[in-house]
Amino acid sequence: MELTEVTVGQVTHSVRVDGPESAHIVVLLPGAGEDAAAFDAVCERLHGSDLRTVVPDSVDGLDVEGLLALLDGLGLTYVNLAGNREGAELAWQAAARTFGRFKSLVVADAAHPAITGGDCPAVEIPTTVLVGVDAVRDDAAASGRRCYSDFRVVELDGIGSVPRDAAAAFATEISLRTSMW
């Protein structure tokens, strides 16, 4: 694992970069109170699928512009995007507001922000929402109205944290979205 620091504005972010050298890169955004370690099991599985992973230690203080600056600082121009809870909120916003930068979107326990009253355009990339928390289930299904590409919902019953408790399912959905078949 390579630990890199990228400065965005006045904030320096620690970023884990790991996995095989690959044209397929997955950026994973943790939720509030989580760090990059929340995705350890997911990343291990993604590396086995020949995917390179990039995980900032925290999304605190990151907005869409900050995320794009972080990716620019790492020299990444076209990536797959995944996130958990608050990291998923940022992923929705980035995917919706940045055409041509992201290949796919996979989020856990976060509906499209416009469904819950937030301001966010529709996304135009293949999108999967994994649902482990019942409170998100109906809004996740309604998110399909805000996705102008292939969309699916994967329901996981009784999962407290998708990356921690359902790493195999999360990694599988990310792998499926990175494939062009």
Side-chain angles (χ1 to χ4, degrees), residues 137-159:
R137 196 170 310 276
D138 291 339
D139 289 340
S143 296
R145 296 189 314 253
R146 303 297 295 171
C147 294
Y148 301 159
S149 187
D150 183 57
F151 175 78
R152 64 187 245 122
V153 174
V154 176
E155 295 186 17
L156 306 167
D157 294 328
I159 300 297

Side-chain angles (χ1 to χ4, degrees), residues 31-71:
E34 295 178 330
D35 60 14
F39 291 112
D40 283 352
V42 175
C43 289
E44 183 178 331
R45 290 175 180 274
L46 293 175
H47 300 158
S49 296
D50 201 32
L51 299 171
R52 189 153 181 83
T53 58
V54 174
V55 188
D57 205 38
S58 170
V59 294
D60 293 341
L62 273 181
D63 57 9
V64 172
E65 292 78 24
L67 176 60
L68 296 175
L70 183 102
L71 296 176

Side-chain angles (χ1 to χ4, degrees), residues 110-177:
H112 187 283
I115 299 301
T116 57
D119 176 36
C120 185
V123 298
E124 297 184 34
I125 57 175
T127 301
T128 299
V129 180
L130 290 97
V131 179
V133 178
D134 284 338
V136 179
R137 196 170 310 276
D138 291 339
D139 289 340
S143 296
R145 296 189 314 253
R146 303 297 295 171
C147 294
Y148 301 159
S149 187
D150 183 57
F151 175 78
R152 64 187 245 122
V153 174
V154 176
E155 295 186 17
L156 306 167
D157 294 328
I159 300 297
S161 169
V162 172
R164 186 187 68 233
D165 302 330
F170 200 25
T172 297
E173 294 304 322
I174 293 167
S175 294
L176 288 171
R177 287 296 182 198

